[in-house]
Amino acid sequence: MRQEPAIGTSRQWRMISALALLGVTAAWAAEIGPPRIGRWPGPLGGPAESVQVVGQTAYVAVGGGGLLIVDVSDPAHPTRLGGHDTDGIALDVALSGNRAFVADGPAGVVVLDVSDPAHPVPLGHHDTEGEALAVAVSGRLAFVADGPAGLVVLDVSDPANPVRLVSREAEPYRLIQDVAVSGDRAFVVDTESSWYSPK
């Protein structure tokens, strides 16, 4: 039985029970708030942790339910295209070309071919030392926020065999919770790990 990692309240802002589609308009800028124009009504298999949208397709990390792929071309009526139940707990997803990189908690990072969103195909995975909480991709490199194991950089030029290039451990009693990449810099969220339950 899968167990959600106890990682504290700072990630709870990501936990929603369904994928909600919001319209960003001038009304939002006037602090009225963005109106909801659609919602995915179907089962997710877990809490929605993260979403990435490419074109008319949304890729949602849904905890114990793995990766959910949704057609949002009609935002008022999103429809399921496909999905993949990963071995771990899908906490984040990043897209690069036709590949989806899933931060899969205790199972590390999973690489999927999503060229056919209705039938995602596993290509490879890398079992990190910590808990893969978030992932960002830039070119041939994947940057993984790996909890107390710190920041891990993978060479994903061969998606069937991601290779660890380097890592930087988190400070004692801290964990790397999120990561973003811009140019030649990686930006990480470094938080206290009092709520963290390691493997």
Side-chain angles (χ1 to χ4, degrees):
M1 180 172 149
R2 295 178 180 157
Q3 292 183 351
E4 300 285 340
I7 54 177
T9 57
S10 58
R11 279 186 63 92
Q12 289 179 352
W13 63 272
R14 285 190 180 186
M15 295 182 138
I16 56 175
S17 61
L19 173 65
L21 303 174
L22 304 176
V24 179
T25 64
W28 184 39
E31 296 185 10
I32 295 172
R36 183 169 68 189
I37 57 175
R39 181 177 181 161
W40 166 249
L44 293 177
E49 297 281 359
S50 175
V51 61
Q52 292 288 322
V53 179
V54 177
Q56 304 297 321
T57 307
Y59 301 82
V60 190
V62 290
L67 180 68
L68 173 68
I69 304 175
V70 179
D71 180 347
V72 292
S73 57
D74 178 0
H77 302 95
T79 56
R80 183 184 191 277
L81 289 174
H84 179 76
D85 188 5
T86 59
D87 291 334
I89 301 164
L91 298 172
D92 194 22
V93 59
L95 275 291
S96 179
N98 290 325
R99 293 177 183 145
F101 297 81
V102 179
D104 206 28
V109 175
V110 178
V111 186
L112 301 169
D113 181 341
V114 292
S115 53
D116 177 2
H119 302 97
V121 177
L123 295 176
H125 94 284
H126 181 86
D127 189 7
T128 58
E129 293 180 10
E131 301 260 350
L133 303 178
V135 61
V137 179
S138 178
R140 66 180 184 90
L141 302 178
F143 298 79
V144 184
D146 202 32
L151 178 67
V152 178
V153 182
L154 303 176
D155 181 342
V156 293
S157 53
D158 177 4
N161 185 34
V163 176
R164 177 183 167 277
L165 294 178
V166 67
S167 64
R168 181 182 176 97
E169 288 186 9
E171 298 294 323
Y173 306 106
R174 300 190 69 81
L175 61 88
I176 302 301
Q177 187 170 343
D178 204 354
V179 59
V181 176
S182 178
D184 61 355
R185 295 191 173 132
F187 300 84
V188 300
V189 175
D190 177 357
T191 63
E192 291 185 23
S193 60
S194 59
W195 288 84
Y196 188 81
S197 177
K199 285 187 188 181

